[in-house]
Amino acid sequence: MVTEQERPKSMSLASKREYVELAWGRYQRGGKAHKSKILDEFCQVCGCARKHAIRLFRAKPRLRKKPGPEVEYGPEVATGLKRIWLASDQLCSKRLKEAMPIWLRHGPELGQELKDKLLAISPAQMDRLLKPFRASYHGLRRHWSKPGSLISQQIPVRGGNDDIVEPGFLEVDTVAHGGESCSGDYIWSITFTDLHTGWTEVRANWNRTAHGVLEKLRELESSLPFKIKGFDSDNGGEFINYGLYEYLKEKQIKFTRSRPYKKNDNAHVEQKNWTHVRQLLGKERLGHPELVRLINDLCQIEWRQFQNFFRPTFKLKSKKRVGSKIRKEYEKPLTPYERVMRSASVSQEAKEKLKKEYEAADPYKLKEAIEKKLKMVFQENKRLNREATGVKAARVRRAREAITLLPLLLSLRYAAALRQRQQRDEGAGQETKQQSEKPRRNRTISVTWL
């Protein structure tokens, strides 16, 4: 007998079932005294009531199955699924389910039964079967990078602006003029802002293209009063490309970029996007390439002089934390022109040229010219929109007319086809008649000759 000290503290339900299965045969074969000893021992070991033990040993032990449905997809299905999953570049289960019929038409022969199982398997079951393989193949995909992702590894991320003490370091960004929709083709503005002086230039370009940015940068080099020494942009494909990278490398211009999805890294140019672009052109859709020339004519002359010569801007001097607040100290507001003229790194020749341009400019006349040209831009845009709407309406009208005439055209075509068929049948009937008469004539002639 098992003593109280030798009895285990607890026994699992599975262990109790195994105990019953092993002792059930001895209990059935034994006599009354032997059965009583087995019951005493079982009750003492398992800690259950005697009546419960009697019911367990009287009943025939059943082999309990594993809970849940039976396994339908065995190792061969998992192996075949793994082969297709890897060949398809590790599609997700929902996409792999739709692609399975296509992939099964190609590749090695798997057998009809295995194909039927692979076609019937659900996306959730695919995930369960592929779970051990996903852990092994994680990170082993082919990394076909999107345009600009490889070159971005060669372009460093700019850390800050504390080391910029002279003009020539530009922040660049683009602004979309697509209105309420980003679909289709439309004009984009490219904003160039110097970090030290605040000098800002705006150029319009048809669509957001890499060659357009490079073209506008080349134009800008000849109009800026200082030499470009740095170029900082976001991570868009119009900036992060080999064409611009090689050009800046050849010109020995430092090329940096902001952190992905961190707009505040380009805070200076983002501010100019509002004051120099949105406040000028608004949020209306400019979807006609004819407007590019008009906008550039406005931005390169009047708008450039008006903003850089006659509009002072603040510049942050210092920033420090006081308790829970940040206290900022700004320099005296100056125009970008004044900051350029005070810079020692700008050549005297460029300063004299800029001074002549400044003295010849009149802010009131510039304002009038800006309003006049801006009115021309919006009037031209409205006219082009009206023409495009008229062309579209004409196309819709022609399409409706074609739909209206479609039944008539189909009936005429059907009548012509029916007429051709009748003529073809009549011609075939005549040929058959001639062929049937020809042997009879020969037969008659032969008989007469005989």
Side-chain angles (χ1 to χ4, degrees), residues 172-225:
V172 190
D173 198 13
T174 54
V175 182
H177 298 287
E180 297 180 356
S181 174
C182 293
S183 61
D185 300 330
Y186 46 89
I187 294 176
W188 288 73
S189 293
I190 308 173
T191 310
F192 303 84
T193 300
D194 180 66
L195 294 173
H196 182 70
T197 62
W199 188 280
T200 302
E201 300 271 359
V202 179
R203 298 291 185 270
N205 190 60
W206 181 245
N207 283 329
R208 183 177 57 172
T209 58
H211 70 272
V213 173
L214 184 56
E215 179 184 355
K216 296 300 183 284
L217 180 62
R218 287 171 174 167
E219 295 177 2
L220 190 68
E221 283 185 296
S222 59
S223 62
L224 283 177

Side-chain angles (χ1 to χ4, degrees), residues 51-157:
K51 286 294 184 183
H52 178 65
I54 292 173
R55 286 194 294 268
L56 289 177
F57 281 99
R58 280 181 178 178
K60 187 176 180 180
R62 295 177 299 173
L63 296 176
R64 296 180 60 87
K65 296 183 179 179
K66 186 179 180 181
E70 296 183 358
V71 177
E72 184 178 356
Y73 304 106
E76 69 281 358
V77 178
T79 304
L81 182 64
K82 174 189 173 185
R83 185 186 296 114
I84 297 175
W85 175 65
L86 291 175
S88 63
D89 241 5
Q90 304 181 25
L91 287 174
C92 70
S93 59
K94 291 182 175 59
R95 295 168 63 193
L96 187 59
K97 171 66 177 178
E98 301 300 325
M100 189 63 70
I102 303 173
W103 283 90
L104 288 177
R105 287 200 296 265
H106 307 278
E109 184 63 31
L110 299 178
Q112 190 60 39
E113 183 181 357
L114 182 56
K115 285 185 177 181
D116 294 340
K117 289 185 177 181
L118 289 173
L119 288 172
I121 191 171
S122 66
Q125 186 66 26
M126 286 183 181
D127 287 333
R128 284 189 285 269
L129 292 176
L130 291 175
K131 185 176 181 180
F133 305 123
R134 284 199 172 109
S136 303
Y137 288 91
H138 179 71
L140 296 180
R141 296 187 183 186
R142 287 185 304 227
H143 293 277
W144 289 346
S145 302
K146 297 179 180 179
S149 60
L150 289 177
I151 185 65
S152 64
Q153 299 176 7
Q154 305 177 35
I155 302 173
V157 175

Side-chain angles (χ1 to χ4, degrees), residues 377-394:
V377 169
F378 289 118
Q379 287 179 348
E380 184 68 6
N381 186 45
K382 186 181 295 185
R383 184 186 68 81
L384 293 171
N385 286 337
R386 190 163 50 247
E387 290 181 0
T389 305
V391 171
K392 184 177 180 179

